[in-house]
Amino acid sequence: MTAPGRASRGVRIAGTGSYLPEQRLTNADLVAMMDTTDEWIVQRTGIRERRRARIDQGESVSVLAAHALRQALDAAHLRPDDLDLIIGATMTPEMECPTCACLVAEAVGASRAGAFDLNAACSGFVFGLNVAHDLIRGGAYNTIALLGADTLTRHMNYSTAGRGTAIIFGDGAGAAILRATDDPALGILAQSIHASGPGWKDIYIPHRPTDFPSGTPPDANACGYVSMNGSSVFKFAVGTFPKLIEETLHKANLGPADIDLYICHQSNARILTAAREKFGLPESKLHINIDRVGNTVGASVPICLDELVRDGRVHPGMKVMFLAFGGGLTWGSSLWQL
Ligand code: COA
């Protein structure tokens, strides 16, 4: 392809992919590990099962992400060497160094691509859409692979002490290829990236006694596990989600019904249903898959996108709003003209 000039560029989503580890963790499996019930979990979260990567057998986050990226490349009819850049949205890289994106570049043979990770917890993929889009729209790159991949189950305490958190999270990966196009109307219509530093205490993974917030006694047994204040996060999400939709619509001068699809981070079915009802949206416009995959952190938005693409529910000409919130606290949106 001859790359379009800077002034006349748009951005399109050229291909998507996703991958889930084979091992299923059903609510019945959790009942065998901790004091909980299928009814409690389904009623509070909508989750029936999630997937768990076998990290000890080499099924690490970059392995999941590489599977997703290979699919996305196939869907886009591209080769790994066509990629200029790989951005890995993850909060669970194998190691502090190298990044997940570098490991994926090696795994798929993307020898020309630059690569780096972007950590914004569950908001990572949506933030990454905004970053990758603007790098292409500005003319710096033509073809970027954006990964959303996480293996947060390795930070879960599967005992009664961890039951408020361990029921929610699952592992997975998704990928999207973003490319320059010569139609400047295509790409992002409105976007946002937000954070609230003081909110970090609502979801964190302590590693040492000094990591605990002031007022919380350090607990050596909690180190290495996600510590989440579920009811605070719930209130934050239920309040933030509708405001985020309103803010994004306002920036684009559009109404809720003008959007063809809302592709949302799968945090909790109750939070998603509340937003859907507030805006009077039909079920078909706000996809929910949390019952089958749980909350897959940075992977949840690209897994939803890929499912919708493969179901034939995403078409050129549509307006699609991507939304996410998560640890940090962070939240953001990316409204696309496909
Ligand atoms: N099974 C059974 N009982 C459980 C349980 C489980 N898995 N987890 C917690 N409980 C118990 C608690 O111990 C507590 O018991 P108590 O009243 O005797 O003390 C009771 O249920 C209520 O706990 P609470 O934490 O207030 O429950 P909740 O109604 O807030 O539901 C969440 C917990 C985590 C499901 C809910 O807060 C939530 O969904 N929060 C948002 C989380 C989220 O979206 N995180 C991702 C952000 S990206």
Side-chain angles (χ1 to χ4, degrees):
M1 154 186 134
T2 310
R6 197 188 271 221
S8 59
R9 305 191 136 216
V11 183
R12 68 190 178 93
I13 298 174
T16 64
S18 62
Y19 184 78
L20 294 171
E22 271 177 30
Q23 190 187 25
R24 292 182 142 82
L25 201 55
T26 64
N27 289 353
D29 294 327
L30 294 180
V31 168
M33 299 177 191
M34 61 183 73
D35 182 11
T36 191
T37 62
D38 174 57
E39 191 189 11
W40 196 97
I41 300 171
V42 172
Q43 193 196 28
R44 295 294 212 292
T45 69
I47 301 169
R48 295 182 185 276
E49 66 175 49
R50 65 291 288 145
R51 301 295 181 94
R52 191 180 184 187
R54 294 173 197 254
I55 307 248
D56 55 341
Q57 293 176 28
E59 202 175 33
S60 63
V61 70
S62 67
V63 172
L64 306 185
H67 281 302
L69 177 53
R70 287 189 197 98
Q71 271 187 22
L73 285 165
D74 281 350
H77 307 293
L78 292 174
R79 291 171 295 113
D81 268 344
D82 293 322
L83 296 176
D84 300 321
L85 187 62
I86 300 176
I87 302 176
T90 182
M91 62 173 280
T92 50
E94 281 88 344
M95 299 173 257
E96 283 84 5
C97 178
T99 61
C100 171
C102 282
L103 293 175
V104 171
E106 188 205 12
V108 303
S111 54
R112 256 188 359 93
F116 68 90
D117 281 0
L118 179 163
N119 180 352
C122 299
S123 308
F125 186 85
V126 173
F127 286 14
L129 280 174
N130 295 340
V131 170
H133 171 277
D134 287 3
L135 286 172
I136 295 173
R137 178 85 78 174
Y141 298 96
N142 294 320
T143 306
I144 299 180
L146 176 61
L147 316 171
D150 270 302
T151 50
L152 202 63
T153 65
R154 68 187 159 99
H155 295 291
M156 293 297 130
N157 175 357
Y158 290 106
S159 74
T160 298
R163 66 182 178 170
T165 305
I167 56 165
I168 290 178
F169 294 99
D171 299 334
I177 313 276
L178 276 54
R179 291 206 94 190
T181 157
D182 55 11
D183 182 349
L186 303 190
I188 290 183
L189 302 173
Q191 60 167 289
S192 66
I193 290 181
H194 295 288
S196 163
W200 75 267
K201 305 165 194 81
D202 285 338
I203 317 183
Y204 62 102
I205 307 177
H207 290 294
R208 53 193 79 77
T210 49
D211 288 342
F212 289 85
S214 66
T216 301
D219 175 3
N221 294 325
C223 284
Y225 295 120
V226 172
S227 175
M228 180 176 77
N229 183 339
S231 59
S232 278
V233 174
F234 190 84
K235 278 186 213 131
F236 157 72
V238 162
T240 301
F241 226 46
K243 280 193 211 138
L244 191 54
I245 293 176
E246 271 161 11
E247 175 201 358
T248 314
L249 290 171
H250 180 72
K251 282 183 181 174
N253 200 20
L254 294 169
D258 295 325
I259 307 303
D260 298 294
L261 277 175
Y262 292 81
I263 303 187
C264 305
H265 171 51
Q266 306 284 305
S267 53
N268 180 312
R270 283 191 293 158
I271 295 169
L272 295 170
T273 308
R276 188 165 71 197
E277 286 170 358
K278 180 173 165 58
F279 291 98
L281 303 172
E283 284 188 17
S284 59
K285 280 201 177 185
L286 200 157
H287 185 58
I288 295 183
N289 69 1
I290 194 170
D291 52 320
R292 290 178 283 117
V293 301
N295 176 342
T296 56
V297 192
S300 86
V301 168
I303 290 173
C304 278
L305 171 63
D306 187 50
E307 283 185 9
L308 288 162
V309 167
R310 278 164 212 282
D311 284 354
R313 290 169 59 191
V314 179
H315 306 288
M318 279 184 154
K319 289 183 175 59
V320 178
M321 192 187 293
F322 298 92
L323 298 149
F325 64 87
L329 297 169
T330 55
W331 62 105
S333 61
S334 192
L335 171 57
W336 282 67
Q337 177 65 61
L338 299 185

